[in-house]
Amino acid sequence: MATRLVQINMKAQDDSVLGRFWAEALGWGVDSEGPGVTNLEPVGFDYPDPTAVCIDIITRPEPKAVKNRVHIDLATTSAAHQAELVARLKDLGATLADVGQGDVPWTVMADPEGNEFCVLEPRPVYRDTGPIAAVVVDCADPRAMARFWGEATDWTVHEVAGDHASLRSTQGVGPYLEFVRTPDIKSGWNRVHLDVAPYRDDDLTGEESRLRALGATDPGIDQSSISWRILVDPEGNEFCLLSPR
């Protein structure tokens, strides 16, 4: 059995407004499961497919209070493309952000609800990822996180170093999942988190047990009213185990 990363879950005070921003930023389509939920995926996308990690935006009343531990890096193909994308994102409502990055070749921005993301300078490694180069997770131990998520999913570990680690779908398509060492301490529930799903013929309960054996734990909340499972990775990051699909 195995899971794979299928989407990012992002909380918002207004899911439809934030959904429109990210749909225009990525050139993706917009769908909705109902009031308070906006789904984003590439036009013509056959969900789930490793060529893209989709985005679910869920309305929650709480405003953003701290820097997110999960963010998106956007890919560019040239210096001109990077400048053009930054300008277009500003026109859509994004702003420049300072998270202590200093003088770096990428541009740190925030979406209309303050969620940080990066517009990267051109990098050959991201030439075929699509608009999202990577989903990035802040952590204390990239090596340990790569070990857990490499066993939790069927994604392949590509690189492990002291300050970062990266994984990608075994099919070699779509964005990377990256873990970057940061000094920040996790505070409260993550406003952005990962959603993983078992394959269609796998068993949700069995997969939950397997993830717990790898080091996932219970967040300590009542889950009796939902059909999926909420778990916590070894560094305390919440993630959802969705129904097999």
Side-chain angles (χ1 to χ4, degrees), residues 17 20-27 85-95 109-112:
V17 170
R20 283 195 298 272
F21 167 83
W22 279 108
E24 293 186 35
L26 300 171
L85 181 55
V86 168
R88 185 169 69 84
L89 292 166
K90 286 182 178 179
D91 289 342
L92 292 175
T95 55
M109 306 190 78
D111 71 19

Side-chain angles (χ1 to χ4, degrees), residues 35-239:
V37 182
T38 297
N39 313 117
L40 306 178
E41 60 184 41
V43 176
F45 183 73
D46 186 17
Y47 180 90
D49 185 308
T51 56
V53 172
C54 299
I55 300 176
D56 252 17
I57 302 178
I58 312 296
T59 292
R60 291 284 300 178
E62 305 87 358
K64 182 177 181 295
V66 298
K67 176 179 174 288
N68 290 335
R69 293 188 68 79
V70 180
H71 73 264
I72 295 170
D73 281 353
L74 301 183
T76 63
T77 57
S78 65
H81 181 208
Q82 183 184 15
E84 291 166 2
L85 181 55
V86 168
R88 185 169 69 84
L89 292 166
K90 286 182 178 179
D91 289 342
L92 292 175
T95 55
L96 298 178
D98 185 351
V99 294
Q101 69 269 22
D103 185 14
V104 294
W106 59 90
T107 303
V108 182
M109 306 190 78
D111 71 19
E113 290 214 5
N115 299 298
E116 303 85 4
F117 65 95
C118 297
V119 180
L120 301 180
E121 75 285 4
R123 300 183 193 181
V125 68
Y126 301 132
R127 67 184 180 276
D128 62 350
T129 60
I132 298 179
V135 178
V136 183
V137 181
D138 292 351
C139 66
D141 190 339
R143 189 178 301 274
M145 290 288 276
R147 184 168 53 250
F148 170 80
W149 283 100
E151 293 177 345
T153 69
D154 65 358
W155 283 31
T156 300
V157 177
H158 273 253
E159 183 180 9
V160 177
D163 61 351
H164 69 276
S166 65
L167 293 79
R168 198 183 191 192
S169 163
T170 53
Q171 298 184 35
V173 296
Y176 287 79
L177 174 61
E178 298 182 348
F179 301 97
V180 176
R181 186 188 300 278
T182 64
D184 305 329
I185 304 300
K186 183 176 183 295
S187 174
W189 278 66
N190 287 345
R191 195 168 178 81
V192 181
H193 70 251
L194 308 180
D195 283 351
V196 299
Y199 285 86
R200 187 178 303 276
D201 296 328
D202 285 344
D203 174 67
L204 180 66
T205 301
E207 189 60 30
E208 179 184 4
S209 297
R210 188 184 72 86
L211 293 173
R212 289 179 180 275
L214 293 175
T217 54
D218 195 310
I221 61 172
D222 180 12
Q223 302 188 46
S224 60
S225 63
I226 58 176
S227 59
W228 61 94
R229 302 288 187 272
I230 302 174
L231 296 168
V232 177
D233 75 15
E235 288 209 5
N237 299 298
E238 302 84 14
F239 67 96

